[in-house]
Amino acid sequence: MLARLRSLLHVSDYRQAAGRHPTPIRALAGQERIELVTDGRGWVQHEGAWHAVAAGDLLWECAGDWTIGRSD
């Protein structure tokens, strides 16, 4: 059986502008997104509810999941 190969396509450092909320992005089929919260606080929507995330939290989003959509 062949192993499924994965490749890293993009790395970025995102800083949210004060007074605005981030625009959430939905992971597409075959995609996985990883968000490491390095400072501040945000919220991610999962199954209709908002969940707080803070510095040190790691989010691993698979197809259909959303990235952080609110912050303070």
Side-chain angles (χ1 to χ4, degrees):
M1 185 164 142
L2 295 176
R4 185 174 146 223
L5 297 177
R6 294 178 187 218
S7 60
L8 183 61
L9 300 177
H10 183 80
V11 175
S12 65
D13 179 30
Y14 178 81
R15 308 266 174 184
Q16 181 59 42
R20 299 184 59 199
H21 289 294
T23 301
I25 299 170
R26 191 169 199 167
L28 303 175
Q31 282 186 340
E32 295 178 11
R33 294 175 173 267
I34 299 170
E35 292 184 275
L36 172 62
V37 182
T38 58
D39 191 24
R41 183 174 58 166
W43 289 265
V44 63
Q45 193 169 29
H46 181 69
E47 296 181 353
W50 288 98
H51 301 272
V53 294
D57 288 341
L58 180 71
L59 304 165
W60 194 303
E61 297 134 357
C62 297
D65 293 339
W66 293 91
T67 59
I68 294 171
R70 288 177 28 197
S71 70
D72 62 0

Coordinates of all heavy atoms in Angstrom, one line a residue:
M1 N 0.8 -1.2 0.0 CA 0.0 0.0 0.0 C 0.9 1.2 0.0 O 1.8 1.3 0.8 CB -0.9 0.0 1.2 CG -1.9 1.1 1.3 SD -3.1 0.6 2.5 CE -3.4 2.2 3.2
L2 N 0.6 2.2 -0.9 CA 1.4 3.4 -1.0 C 0.9 4.4 0.1 O -0.3 4.6 0.3 CB 1.2 4.0 -2.3 CG 1.8 3.2 -3.5 CD1 1.4 3.9 -4.8 CD2 3.3 3.1 -3.3
A3 N 1.9 5.1 0.7 CA 1.6 6.2 1.6 C 1.1 7.4 0.9 O 1.6 7.7 -0.2 CB 2.8 6.5 2.5
R4 N 0.2 8.1 1.5 CA -0.3 9.4 0.9 C 0.7 10.5 1.2 O 1.0 10.8 2.4 CB -1.7 9.7 1.5 CG -2.3 10.9 0.8 CD -3.7 11.1 1.3 NE -3.9 12.6 1.4 CZ -4.5 13.2 2.4 NH1 -5.0 12.6 3.4 NH2 -4.7 14.5 2.3
L5 N 1.2 11.1 0.2 CA 2.2 12.2 0.4 C 1.5 13.5 0.7 O 0.5 13.8 0.1 CB 3.1 12.3 -0.8 CG 3.9 11.1 -1.2 CD1 4.7 11.4 -2.5 CD2 4.9 10.8 -0.1
R6 N 2.1 14.3 1.5 CA 1.5 15.6 1.8 C 2.6 16.6 1.5 O 3.8 16.3 1.7 CB 1.1 15.7 3.3 CG 0.0 14.8 3.7 CD -0.3 15.0 5.1 NE -1.3 14.0 5.5 CZ -2.3 14.2 6.3 NH1 -2.4 15.4 6.9 NH2 -3.2 13.3 6.6
S7 N 2.2 17.8 1.1 CA 3.2 18.8 0.9 C 2.7 20.1 1.5 O 1.5 20.4 1.6 CB 3.5 19.0 -0.6 OG 2.3 19.4 -1.3
L8 N 3.6 20.9 2.0 CA 3.3 22.2 2.6 C 3.3 23.2 1.4 O 4.2 23.4 0.7 CB 4.4 22.6 3.6 CG 4.2 23.9 4.3 CD1 3.0 23.9 5.1 CD2 5.4 24.1 5.2
L9 N 2.2 23.9 1.3 CA 2.0 24.8 0.1 C 2.2 26.3 0.5 O 2.5 27.1 -0.4 CB 0.6 24.6 -0.4 CG 0.2 23.2 -1.0 CD1 -1.2 23.2 -1.5 CD2 1.2 22.8 -2.1
H10 N 1.9 26.6 1.8 CA 2.0 28.0 2.1 C 2.2 28.2 3.6 O 1.6 27.5 4.4 CB 0.6 28.7 1.7 CG 0.6 30.2 1.9 ND1 1.1 31.1 1.1 CD2 0.0 30.9 2.9 CE1 0.9 32.3 1.5 NE2 0.3 32.2 2.7
V11 N 3.0 29.2 4.0 CA 3.2 29.6 5.3 C 3.1 31.1 5.4 O 3.7 31.8 4.6 CB 4.6 29.1 5.9 CG1 4.9 29.6 7.3 CG2 4.7 27.6 5.8
S12 N 2.4 31.6 6.4 CA 2.3 33.1 6.5 C 2.2 33.5 8.0 O 1.8 32.7 8.8 CB 1.1 33.6 5.7 OG -0.1 33.1 6.2
D13 N 2.4 34.7 8.2 CA 2.2 35.3 9.5 C 1.1 36.4 9.4 O 1.3 37.4 8.7 CB 3.6 35.9 10.0 CG 3.4 36.6 11.4 OD1 2.6 36.2 12.2 OD2 4.2 37.6 11.6
Y14 N 0.0 36.1 10.0 CA -1.2 37.0 9.8 C -1.4 37.8 11.1 O -1.4 37.2 12.2 CB -2.4 36.2 9.5 CG -3.7 37.0 9.4 CD1 -3.9 37.7 8.2 CD2 -4.6 37.1 10.4 CE1 -5.1 38.4 8.0 CE2 -5.7 37.8 10.3 CZ -6.0 38.5 9.1 OH -7.1 39.2 8.9
R15 N -1.5 39.1 11.0 CA -1.8 40.0 12.1 C -3.1 40.7 11.8 O -3.2 41.4 10.8 CB -0.7 41.0 12.3 CG 0.7 40.4 12.4 CD 1.0 40.1 13.8 NE 2.3 39.4 13.9 CZ 2.8 39.0 15.0 NH1 2.2 39.2 16.1 NH2 4.0 38.3 15.0
Q16 N -4.1 40.6 12.6 CA -5.4 41.2 12.4 C -5.3 42.7 12.8 O -4.8 43.1 13.8 CB -6.5 40.5 13.3 CG -7.9 41.1 13.1 CD -8.4 41.0 11.6 OE1 -8.2 40.0 11.0 NE2 -9.0 42.1 11.2
A17 N -5.9 43.6 11.9 CA -5.9 45.0 12.1 C -6.9 45.3 13.3 O -7.9 44.7 13.4 CB -6.4 45.7 10.9
A18 N -6.5 46.2 14.1 CA -7.3 46.6 15.3 C -8.7 47.1 14.8 O -8.8 47.8 13.8 CB -6.6 47.7 16.1
G19 N -9.7 46.7 15.6 CA -11.1 47.2 15.3 C -11.8 46.4 14.2 O -12.9 46.8 13.8
R20 N -11.2 45.4 13.6 CA -11.8 44.6 12.5 C -11.8 43.1 12.9 O -11.0 42.7 13.7 CB -11.0 44.8 11.3 CG -11.0 46.3 10.8 CD -10.3 46.5 9.5 NE -11.0 45.7 8.5 CZ -10.5 45.3 7.3 NH1 -9.3 45.7 7.0 NH2 -11.2 44.6 6.5
H21 N -12.7 42.4 12.3 CA -12.7 40.9 12.4 C -12.1 40.3 11.2 O -12.2 40.8 10.1 CB -14.1 40.4 12.6 CG -14.7 40.7 13.9 ND1 -14.3 40.2 15.1 CD2 -15.8 41.5 14.2 CE1 -15.0 40.7 16.1 NE2 -15.9 41.5 15.6
P22 N -11.4 39.1 11.4 CA -10.9 38.4 10.2 C -12.0 37.8 9.4 O -13.1 37.6 9.9 CB -10.0 37.3 10.8 CG -10.6 37.1 12.2 CD -11.1 38.5 12.6
T23 N -11.7 37.7 8.1 CA -12.7 37.0 7.2 C -12.3 35.5 7.2 O -11.2 35.1 6.8 CB -12.6 37.5 5.8 OG1 -12.8 38.9 5.8 CG2 -13.5 36.8 4.9
P24 N -13.3 34.6 7.7 CA -12.9 33.2 7.8 C -12.8 32.6 6.4 O -13.5 33.0 5.5 CB -14.1 32.6 8.6 CG -15.2 33.6 8.4 CD -14.6 34.9 8.2
I25 N -12.0 31.6 6.3 CA -11.8 30.9 5.1 C -12.1 29.4 5.3 O -11.7 28.8 6.3 CB -10.3 31.0 4.6 CG1 -10.0 32.5 4.3 CG2 -10.1 30.1 3.3 CD1 -8.5 32.7 4.1
R26 N -12.9 28.8 4.4 CA -13.3 27.4 4.5 C -12.2 26.5 3.8 O -11.9 26.8 2.7 CB -14.7 27.2 4.0 CG -15.2 25.8 4.3 CD -16.7 25.8 3.9 NE -17.3 24.7 4.7 CZ -18.5 24.5 4.8 NH1 -19.4 25.3 4.2 NH2 -19.0 23.5 5.5
A27 N -11.8 25.5 4.5 CA -10.9 24.5 3.9 C -11.6 23.7 2.9 O -12.7 23.2 3.1 CB -10.3 23.6 5.0
L28 N -11.1 23.6 1.7 CA -11.7 22.9 0.6 C -11.3 21.4 0.7 O -10.4 21.0 1.4 CB -11.2 23.5 -0.7 CG -11.4 25.0 -1.0 CD1 -10.8 25.4 -2.3 CD2 -12.9 25.3 -0.9
A29 N -12.0 20.6 -0.1 CA -11.7 19.2 -0.2 C -10.3 18.9 -0.5 O -9.7 19.6 -1.4 CB -12.6 18.5 -1.3
G30 N -9.6 18.1 0.3 CA -8.2 17.8 0.1 C -7.3 18.7 0.8 O -6.1 18.5 0.7
Q31 N -7.8 19.8 1.4 CA -7.0 20.8 2.1 C -7.0 20.5 3.6 O -8.0 20.1 4.1 CB -7.5 22.2 1.9 CG -7.2 22.8 0.6 CD -7.6 24.3 0.5 OE1 -8.4 24.7 1.3 NE2 -7.0 25.0 -0.4
E32 N -5.9 20.9 4.2 CA -5.8 21.0 5.7 C -5.1 22.3 6.0 O -4.2 22.7 5.3 CB -5.1 19.8 6.3 CG -5.8 18.5 6.1 CD -5.0 17.3 6.6 OE1 -4.0 17.5 7.4 OE2 -5.4 16.2 6.3
R33 N -5.6 23.0 7.0 CA -5.0 24.3 7.3 C -4.7 24.2 8.8 O -5.4 23.7 9.6 CB -6.0 25.5 7.1 CG -6.4 25.7 5.7 CD -7.4 26.8 5.6 NE -7.6 27.2 4.2 CZ -7.0 28.2 3.6 NH1 -6.1 28.9 4.2 NH2 -7.3 28.4 2.3
I34 N -3.5 24.8 9.1 CA -3.1 24.8 10.5 C -2.9 26.3 10.9 O -2.2 27.0 10.3 CB -1.7 24.0 10.7 CG1 -1.9 22.6 10.3 CG2 -1.2 24.1 12.1 CD1 -0.7 21.8 10.2
E35 N -3.5 26.6 12.1 CA -3.4 28.0 12.6 C -2.8 27.9 14.0 O -3.3 27.2 14.9 CB -4.7 28.7 12.7 CG -5.3 29.0 11.4 CD -6.6 29.8 11.5 OE1 -7.7 29.2 11.7 OE2 -6.5 31.1 11.5
L36 N -1.7 28.6 14.2 CA -1.1 28.7 15.6 C -1.3 30.1 16.1 O -0.9 31.1 15.4 CB 0.4 28.4 15.5 CG 1.2 28.7 16.8 CD1 0.7 27.8 17.9 CD2 2.7 28.4 16.6
V37 N -2.1 30.2 17.2 CA -2.4 31.5 17.7 C -1.2 31.9 18.6 O -0.8 31.3 19.5 CB -3.7 31.5 18.6 CG1 -4.0 32.9 19.1 CG2 -4.8 31.0 17.8
T38 N -0.5 33.0 18.2 CA 0.7 33.4 18.9 C 0.5 34.6 19.8 O 1.4 34.9 20.7 CB 1.8 33.8 17.9 OG1 1.3 34.9 17.0 CG2 2.2 32.6 17.0
D39 N -0.6 35.3 19.7 CA -0.9 36.5 20.5 C -2.4 36.8 20.5 O -3.0 36.5 19.4 CB -0.1 37.7 20.0 CG -0.1 38.8 21.0 OD1 -0.3 38.6 22.2 OD2 0.1 40.0 20.6
G40 N -2.9 37.3 21.5 CA -4.3 37.8 21.5 C -5.3 36.6 21.6 O -5.0 35.6 22.1
R41 N -6.5 36.9 21.2 CA -7.6 36.0 21.3 C -8.5 36.0 20.1 O -8.7 37.1 19.5 CB -8.4 36.4 22.6 CG -9.5 35.4 22.9 CD -10.1 35.8 24.3 NE -10.6 37.2 24.2 CZ -11.4 37.7 25.1 NH1 -11.8 37.0 26.1 NH2 -11.8 39.0 25.0
G42 N -9.1 34.9 19.8 CA -10.1 34.9 18.6 C -11.1 33.8 18.9 O -11.1 33.2 19.9
W43 N -12.0 33.6 17.9 CA -13.0 32.6 18.0 C -13.1 31.9 16.6 O -13.0 32.6 15.6 CB -14.4 33.3 18.3 CG -14.4 33.8 19.8 CD1 -14.9 33.1 20.8 CD2 -14.0 35.0 20.2 NE1 -14.8 33.9 22.0 CE2 -14.2 35.1 21.6 CE3 -13.4 36.1 19.7 CZ2 -13.9 36.1 22.4 CZ3 -13.0 37.2 20.4 CH2 -13.3 37.2 21.8
V44 N -13.4 30.7 16.7 CA -13.6 29.9 15.5 C -15.0 29.2 15.6 O -15.4 28.8 16.7 CB -12.5 28.8 15.3 CG1 -12.4 27.8 16.4 CG2 -12.6 28.2 13.9
Q45 N -15.7 29.2 14.5 CA -17.0 28.6 14.5 C -16.9 27.1 14.2 O -16.3 26.7 13.2 CB -18.0 29.3 13.6 CG -19.4 28.9 13.8 CD -20.3 29.9 13.0 OE1 -20.0 30.4 11.9 NE2 -21.5 30.0 13.5
H46 N -17.5 26.3 15.0 CA -17.5 24.8 14.7 C -18.9 24.3 15.2 O -19.3 24.5 16.3 CB -16.4 24.1 15.5 CG -16.4 22.7 15.3 ND1 -16.0 22.1 14.1 CD2 -16.6 21.6 16.2 CE1 -16.0 20.8 14.2 NE2 -16.4 20.5 15.5
E47 N -19.6 23.6 14.2 CA -20.9 23.0 14.5 C -21.9 24.0 15.1 O -22.6 23.8 16.0 CB -20.8 21.8 15.4 CG -20.0 20.7 14.7 CD -19.9 19.4 15.6 OE1 -20.3 19.4 16.7 OE2 -19.3 18.4 15.0
G48 N -21.8 25.3 14.5 CA -22.8 26.3 14.9 C -22.5 27.1 16.1 O -23.3 28.0 16.5
A49 N -21.4 26.8 16.8 CA -21.1 27.5 18.0 C -19.7 28.1 17.9 O -18.8 27.6 17.2 CB -21.1 26.5 19.2
W50 N -19.5 29.3 18.5 CA -18.2 29.9 18.5 C -17.4 29.4 19.7 O -17.8 29.3 20.8 CB -18.4 31.5 18.7 CG -18.9 32.1 17.4 CD1 -20.2 32.4 17.2 CD2 -18.2 32.4 16.2 NE1 -20.3 32.9 15.9 CE2 -19.1 33.0 15.3 CE3 -16.9 32.3 15.9 CZ2 -18.7 33.4 14.0 CZ3 -16.5 32.8 14.6 CH2 -17.4 33.3 13.7
H51 N -16.1 29.1 19.4 CA -15.2 28.6 20.4 C -14.0 29.5 20.5 O -13.3 29.8 19.5 CB -14.7 27.2 20.1 CG -15.8 26.2 19.9 ND1 -16.3 25.5 21.0 CD2 -16.6 25.9 18.9 CE1 -17.3 24.7 20.6 NE2 -17.5 24.9 19.3
A52 N -13.6 29.9 21.8 CA -12.5 30.9 22.0 C -11.2 30.1 21.8 O -11.0 29.0 22.1 CB -12.6 31.4 23.4
V53 N -10.2 30.9 21.2 CA -8.9 30.4 21.0 C -8.0 31.5 21.5 O -8.3 32.7 21.4 CB -8.5 30.0 19.6 CG1 -9.3 28.7 19.2 CG2 -8.8 31.1 18.6
A54 N -6.8 31.1 22.1 CA -5.9 32.2 22.6 C -4.5 31.8 22.3 O -4.2 30.7 21.8 CB -6.1 32.3 24.1
A55 N -3.5 32.6 22.7 CA -2.1 32.4 22.4 C -1.7 31.0 22.9 O -2.1 30.6 24.0 CB -1.3 33.5 23.1
G56 N -1.0 30.3 22.0 CA -0.6 28.9 22.4 C -1.5 27.8 21.8 O -1.1 26.7 21.7
D57 N -2.7 28.2 21.4 CA -3.7 27.2 20.8 C -3.3 26.9 19.3 O -2.8 27.8 18.6 CB -5.1 27.7 20.8 CG -5.7 27.7 22.2 OD1 -5.1 27.1 23.1 OD2 -6.7 28.5 22.4
L58 N -3.5 25.7 19.0 CA -3.2 25.2 17.6 C -4.5 24.6 17.0 O -5.1 23.8 17.6 CB -2.1 24.1 17.6 CG -1.7 23.5 16.3 CD1 -0.9 24.5 15.5 CD2 -0.9 22.3 16.5
L59 N -4.9 25.1 15.9 CA -6.1 24.7 15.2 C -5.7 23.9 14.0 O -4.8 24.4 13.2 CB -7.0 25.8 14.8 CG -7.4 26.8 15.9 CD1 -7.9 28.1 15.3 CD2 -8.4 26.1 16.8
W60 N -6.2 22.7 13.8 CA -6.0 21.9 12.6 C -7.3 21.7 11.9 O -8.2 21.0 12.4 CB -5.4 20.5 13.0 CG -4.8 19.8 11.8 CD1 -5.4 19.4 10.7 CD2 -3.4 19.3 11.8 NE1 -4.5 18.8 9.9 CE2 -3.3 18.7 10.5 CE3 -2.4 19.3 12.6 CZ2 -2.1 18.1 10.1 CZ3 -1.2 18.7 12.3 CH2 -1.1 18.1 11.0
E61 N -7.5 22.4 10.8 CA -8.7 22.5 10.1 C -8.7 21.6 8.8 O -7.7 21.6 8.1 CB -9.1 23.9 9.7 CG -9.3 24.8 10.9 CD -8.6 26.1 10.8 OE1 -7.9 26.4 9.8 OE2 -8.7 26.9 11.8
C62 N -9.7 20.7 8.7 CA -9.8 19.8 7.6 C -10.9 20.3 6.6 O -11.6 21.3 7.0 CB -10.1 18.4 8.1 SG -8.8 17.7 9.1
A63 N -11.1 19.6 5.5 CA -12.1 20.0 4.5 C -13.5 20.3 5.2 O -14.0 19.6 6.0 CB -12.3 18.9 3.5
G64 N -14.0 21.5 4.9 CA -15.3 22.0 5.5 C -15.2 22.8 6.8 O -16.1 23.5 7.1
D65 N -14.0 22.8 7.4 CA -13.8 23.6 8.6 C -13.5 25.0 8.2 O -13.0 25.3 7.1 CB -12.6 23.0 9.5 CG -12.9 21.7 10.1 OD1 -14.1 21.3 10.2 OD2 -11.9 21.0 10.4
W66 N -13.7 25.9 9.2 CA -13.5 27.4 8.9 C -12.3 27.8 9.8 O -12.1 27.3 10.9 CB -14.7 28.2 9.3 CG -15.9 28.0 8.4 CD1 -16.9 27.0 8.6 CD2 -16.1 28.7 7.2 NE1 -17.7 27.1 7.6 CE2 -17.3 28.1 6.7 CE3 -15.5 29.7 6.6 CZ2 -17.9 28.6 5.5 CZ3 -16.1 30.1 5.4 CH2 -17.3 29.6 4.9
T67 N -11.6 28.8 9.3 CA -10.5 29.5 10.0 C -11.1 30.4 11.0 O -12.3 30.7 11.0 CB -9.5 30.2 9.1 OG1 -10.2 31.2 8.4 CG2 -8.8 29.3 8.1
I68 N -10.3 31.1 11.8 CA -10.7 32.0 12.8 C -11.6 33.1 12.2 O -11.2 33.7 11.1 CB -9.5 32.6 13.6 CG1 -8.8 31.5 14.4 CG2 -10.0 33.8 14.5 CD1 -7.5 32.0 15.0
G69 N -12.7 33.4 12.8 CA -13.6 34.4 12.1 C -14.0 35.6 13.0 O -14.7 36.5 12.6
R70 N -13.5 35.6 14.2 CA -13.7 36.8 15.1 C -12.5 37.0 16.0 O -11.8 36.0 16.3 CB -14.9 36.5 16.1 CG -16.3 36.6 15.4 CD -17.5 36.3 16.3 NE -17.3 36.6 17.7 CZ -18.1 36.1 18.6 NH1 -19.1 35.3 18.3 NH2 -17.9 36.4 19.9
S71 N -12.2 38.2 16.3 CA -11.1 38.5 17.2 C -11.4 39.8 18.0 O -12.3 40.5 17.7 CB -9.8 38.6 16.4 OG -9.8 39.8 15.7
D72 N -10.6 39.9 19.1 CA -10.7 41.2 19.8 C -9.4 41.9 19.8 O -9.1 42.8 20.5 CB -11.3 41.0 21.2 CG -10.4 40.1 22.1 OD1 -9.4 39.7 21.7 OD2 -10.8 39.9 23.2

